[in-house]
Amino acid sequence: MTPSTSSSVPAAPQAEHSLTRSQRLDRLPFTRKHGKLLGASGIGWALDAMDVGLISFVIAALSVHWGISKGDGSLIASAGFAGMAIGASVGGLLADRIGRRSVFALTLLVYGLATGGSALAMGVGTLIVLRFVVGLGLGAELPVASTLMSEFAPARIRGRVIVWLEAFWALGWILAAVIGTFVAASGPTGWRWALAVGLVPAAYSLVVRWGMPESVRFLEQKGRHDEAETIVRSFEETAEQSARGQTADGPSGTVGAEPAPGAAREASEASEASEATVRAAAPDAVGEIPQADTVESTGGIWSRALRRRTAGLWAVWFCINLAYYGAFIWIPTLLVERGFTLTQSFTFTLIITLAQIPGYAMAAWLIEVLGRRWTLTVFLTGSALSAIGYGLADSEATIIAAGCALSFFNLGAWGALYAIGPELYPTAVRGTGTGAAAAFGRIASMLAPFLVPVLVVAGGQTLAFVCFAIAFALAAAAAFTLPEQRGRALAQ
């Protein structure tokens, strides 16, 4: 499904020299080049989800084949989340200094190699160390990828584009469920073969590094105006070709190929070429130039202008991480404890995971209809109610029904959250802001695997899921404090 552009309002062509490069990107329709960038980023996103999802199946398998305790399982899961907390924070800072694309590629390489190495682990200690390294890469990738995509997406459908990027998480988790069900559960060494698949992201890092463009806003911040102009013109040319009904995708034929430096040095030449593009394009190929967020970056993410946004975003991240990872990391193991076989447990989890897809689809539609704040609040409220239902479920049918509802609402909420984050910050601190929020949320991810066994002992699975419901409700309240950014251009 391609994000709709039907909501755009045509505007009369303006003199190109009066527009910034960001405005020229914001007014474009969703083109094939946007689609390729979304696909390339989404594959990396899906591989990340696959790795996170696999560990829940690996822990369940090791509890059967190695007889590991809940404490050991918690350590394995939390080690990855500890790495993710550090990775998200450092990754965001690096993205604001060396570029979004470079950090994105590096994260894939790091966690791909570490996951492949985890397949050779001979003990719990080694697996814990390697999961920490995996977490460094995983934690950095998600905020960096969402920031990069946000900075290219047309303003009028930016939220929808980011939800569709987050929807690749469902594909990765479904792949993890398939691998867990048919590989990890296949025998005593099945979990090793499941983790060996994690080497794929390492190879894909080369595609990201050489096949994707760098953020135009980042390039301008670093004074690399020729490269920025070349990339913007390539997107404009693709829009022109689409309007004319052509099938070519620009001279390079790839998303990120960048012509030799100096190709766009003549400002007058760039202006004339862009004006020609505007004149040639169909009326709906150029949308309105949206009003930009005017928040300032002076003083960092905790400045007077940004502190309220940062506090609200951090609160949502913390609560949603606590509830999501507390539930979904332990669902396969908790199902085994209810008396289901390992294969049954993994099959139920696969069915529940499939409900993520319609959740993302609904969120992608609502986010440009209701707006970011209301969409996030509605889905978090639905997650809270579903968590209570799952905790009270006492049959196969009710477990699957409540689990699917939890999956539907929770992952729709994640999509809206990733759309909101980059929109709250100016370019200079966008990577830092989104990364820091993700890092704070990962603290909850670390706590969740240890919290679940304690809650189950104290009051059974019902108590655990009631606590998750409370966390979702608190996240919903925090979400409503964030500013609505629908239809606005990103702050410079």
Side-chain angles (χ1 to χ4, degrees):
M1 180 173 179
T2 302
S4 171
T5 59
S6 60
S7 61
S8 62
V9 179
Q14 293 183 246
E16 201 63 29
H17 63 269
S18 68
L19 304 181
T20 66
R21 295 187 183 95
S22 297
Q23 288 174 328
R24 287 158 60 190
L25 284 175
D26 278 336
R27 67 182 184 160
L28 291 175
F30 189 88
T31 66
R32 290 191 303 277
K33 194 171 283 289
H34 288 101
K36 288 182 178 180
L37 180 59
L38 176 60
S41 301
I43 291 173
W45 203 283
L47 292 172
D48 191 327
M50 180 189 74
D51 193 285
V52 173
L54 273 176
I55 199 61
S56 64
F57 294 95
V58 169
I59 291 172
L62 291 178
S63 68
V64 173
H65 301 303
W66 281 12
I68 66 171
S69 66
K70 280 191 175 65
D72 288 338
S74 297
L75 283 172
I76 293 170
S78 291
F81 294 131
M84 291 174 80
I86 297 172
S89 181
V90 174
L93 289 168
L94 286 176
D96 284 336
R97 285 161 176 75
I98 67 174
R100 286 63 158 130
R101 179 182 62 181
S102 297
V103 176
F104 189 8
L106 180 61
T107 62
L108 290 166
L109 181 63
V110 168
Y111 83 73
L113 292 177
T115 300
S118 299
L120 303 176
M122 299 305 295
V124 172
T126 304
L127 191 56
I128 289 172
V129 171
L130 287 171
R131 288 308 301 176
F132 175 80
V133 178
V134 169
L136 292 174
L138 292 175
E141 185 208 334
L142 298 180
V144 171
S146 61
T147 296
L148 176 64
M149 197 67 228
S150 291
E151 292 178 334
F152 275 104
R156 63 189 174 279
I157 55 167
R158 185 177 57 244
R160 186 164 295 160
V161 170
I162 301 307
V163 175
W164 280 114
L165 172 63
E166 166 65 5
F168 280 87
W169 184 271
L171 299 181
W173 200 280
I174 289 169
L175 183 58
V178 171
I179 294 172
T181 302
F182 298 105
V183 179
S186 63
T189 61
W191 65 272
R192 294 187 185 276
W193 290 107
L195 288 176
V197 178
L199 284 168
V200 173
Y204 189 67
S205 66
L206 298 176
V207 176
V208 171
R209 179 62 185 85
W210 302 112
M212 293 177 67
E214 182 55 271
S215 163
V216 170
R217 287 174 169 84
F218 170 79
L219 292 173
E220 288 185 321
Q221 285 277 322
K222 299 303 179 182
R224 294 159 62 180
H225 297 289
D226 287 349
E227 295 174 65
E229 180 63 30
T230 297
I231 293 171
V232 172
R233 288 180 62 192
S234 72
F235 276 79
E236 289 175 330
E237 288 164 3
T238 303
E240 176 189 0
Q241 291 162 1
S242 297
R244 290 177 172 174
Q246 297 179 1
T247 57
D249 193 15
S252 64
T254 63
V255 173
E258 297 170 12
R265 285 178 183 162
E266 296 298 330
S268 61
E269 177 186 343
S271 178
E272 291 171 5
S274 297
E275 287 175 10
T277 298
V278 173
R279 289 193 302 270
D284 64 350
V286 180
E288 285 185 335
I289 298 170
Q291 180 181 0
D293 187 359
T294 57
V295 69
E296 297 180 357
S297 61
T298 305
I301 64 174
W302 288 104
S303 66
R304 182 180 297 274
L306 294 174
R307 67 181 60 160
R308 180 183 174 88
R309 299 180 179 197
T310 298
L313 186 64
W314 281 34
V316 177
W317 264 94
F318 187 90
C319 292
I320 196 173
N321 270 275
L322 184 71
Y324 173 74
Y325 286 106
F328 282 89
I329 287 294
W330 280 106
I331 278 179
T333 303
L334 293 176
L335 286 171
V336 170
E337 287 194 349
R338 288 192 179 196
F340 298 104
T341 67
L342 192 62
T343 300
Q344 283 179 313
S345 167
F346 288 1
T347 302
F348 288 177
T349 304
L350 174 58
I351 295 170
I352 290 170
T353 302
L354 290 173
Q356 295 180 10
I357 296 176
Y360 283 124
M362 181 61 72
W365 176 67
L366 287 177
I367 202 164
E368 299 296 357
V369 176
L370 297 180
R372 283 80 163 120
R373 184 169 55 186
W374 269 109
T375 300
L376 181 57
T377 301
V378 167
F379 275 86
L380 286 170
T381 302
S383 298
L385 296 175
S386 301
I388 294 174
Y390 190 88
L392 297 174
D394 58 2
S395 66
E396 289 188 19
T398 55
I399 287 172
I400 292 175
C404 285
L406 180 60
S407 188
F408 174 92
F409 284 109
N410 198 188
L411 276 297
W414 273 111
L417 179 58
Y418 272 105
I420 286 175
E423 296 181 337
L424 299 178
Y425 298 102
T427 300
V429 294
R430 186 167 294 123
T432 301
T434 54
F440 186 69
R442 298 307 176 191
I443 296 174
S445 303
M446 287 186 283
L447 296 175
F450 292 101
L451 183 62
V452 171
V454 174
L455 292 173
V456 170
V457 170
Q461 294 188 26
T462 300
L463 176 62
F465 280 88
V466 166
C467 289
F468 298 151
I470 293 172
F472 281 131
L474 292 174
F480 213 69
T481 68
L482 299 174
E484 180 55 61
Q485 301 289 74
R486 178 167 62 104
R488 305 189 72 181
L490 297 175
Q492 285 292 92

